[in-house]
């Protein structure tokens, strides 16, 4: 049950923060009946209990009219009066002290500009604030505190306000209409000017083309391609280096020397035989 209760409260807080701009620390306006309920059921500390419900830091407020009403109720509400004096006082600027209900209704007004959470045990006051947009109501039941879910009136108010934001207002509609007219006139003038320029440009262009054909003038310069003078060295295979340079010349020299030695030897033998 506690988990469901917390989910309901967090959902309601998200609704008021997203649609009506409530922000932390949340301001809670407490009347005398709510303070008395906290004292009777020993709900303390009150700020901690309320922060657990709303899921954020809180500030508790009351008014001078509410304090005066608690004074008039007598000794049975003396403890509640002492607890109410510890709360912060919201400005009501009433010279003639009013009832707590009238004072709270005047502070809240039609749109709740100060973004107050109203904490009360008065059923009629709770019913009245259900028909005012952006007024969340907190009440106590024995030693537990509850935040009322957004009423059907408040949900319908949010839907209608969102639909109005989507539609353009009368001054915005007039501005858009004037802009569309100006853009359409500018486009028509551009099209007409482009057509005139095109017709003017086409006539001299034809004359120039005929003159060029007669004079045999080439429009673009023709460049001669350079022919390759030698093969690309990167595409050719590299020559293999010989390990023994000039082997054939050495062999020829060796064979010639051997031939001369043989001839000399033969001549010597012939001469010896003759002698």
């Amino acid at each position: 049950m506690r988990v469901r209760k917390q989910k309901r409260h967090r959902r309601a807080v998200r609704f008021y923060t997203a649609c009506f701009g409530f922000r932390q620390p949340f301001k809670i306006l407490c009347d005398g009946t709510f303070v008395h309920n906290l004292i009777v059921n020993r709900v303390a500390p009150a700020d901690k209990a309320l922060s657990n419900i709303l899921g954020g830091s809180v500030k508790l407020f009351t008014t001078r009219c509410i304090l005066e009403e608690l004074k008039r109720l007598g000794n049975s509400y003396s403890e509640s009066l002492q607890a109410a004096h510890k709360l912060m006082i919201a400005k009501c600027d009433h010279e003639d002290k009013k009832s707590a209900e009238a004072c709270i209704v005047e502070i809240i007004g039609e749109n709740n500009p100060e973004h107050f959470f109203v904490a009360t045990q008065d059923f009629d006051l709770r019913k009245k604030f259900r028909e005012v947009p952006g007024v969340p109501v907190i009440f106590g039941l024995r030693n537990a505190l509850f935040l009322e879910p957004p009423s059907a009136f408040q949900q319908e108010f949010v839907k209608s306000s969102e639909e109005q934001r989507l539609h353009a207002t009368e001054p915005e509609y007039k501005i858009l209409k004037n802009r569309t007219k100006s853009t359409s006139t500018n486009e028509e003038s551009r099209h007409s000017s482009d057509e005139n320029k095109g017709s003017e440009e086409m006539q001299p262009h034809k004359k120039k083309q005929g003159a060029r054909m007669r004079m045999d003038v080439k429009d673009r310069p023709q460049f001669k391609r350079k022919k390759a003078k030698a093969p690309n060295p990167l595409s050719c295979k590299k020559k293999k280096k010989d390990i023994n340079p000039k082997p054939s010349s050495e062999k020829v020299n060796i064979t010639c020397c051997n031939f001369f030695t043989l001839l000399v030897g033969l001549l010597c033998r012939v001469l010896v035989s003759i002698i």
Side-chain angles (χ1 to χ4, degrees), residues 122-133:
D122 190 352
F123 182 77
D124 294 333
L125 192 61
R126 286 163 51 191
K127 189 176 180 181
K128 186 180 291 185
F129 284 134
R130 286 173 191 163
E131 297 180 357
V132 179

Side-chain angles (χ1 to χ4, degrees), residues 23 52 96 127 144 171 174 181 194 198-199 216 219 225 231 234 253 271:
R23 296 289 180 269
N52 289 334
D96 298 331
K127 189 176 180 181
K174 288 179 181 179
K181 284 182 180 179
D194 291 337
S199 61
D216 295 331
D219 293 335
R225 292 183 180 179
L234 297 174
N253 292 328
L271 290 171

Side-chain angles (χ1 to χ4, degrees), residues 11-23 111-112 115 133-136 150 154-162 165:
R11 198 181 297 118
V13 171
R14 271 191 240 111
F15 174 81
Y16 289 110
T17 53
C19 300
F20 296 101
F22 282 73
R23 296 289 180 269
N111 298 317
N112 192 10
H115 299 100
V135 184
Q154 291 175 349
Q155 291 178 358
E156 288 178 1
F157 177 82
V158 170
K159 287 181 181 178
S160 62
S161 62
E162 286 179 355
R165 287 175 188 172

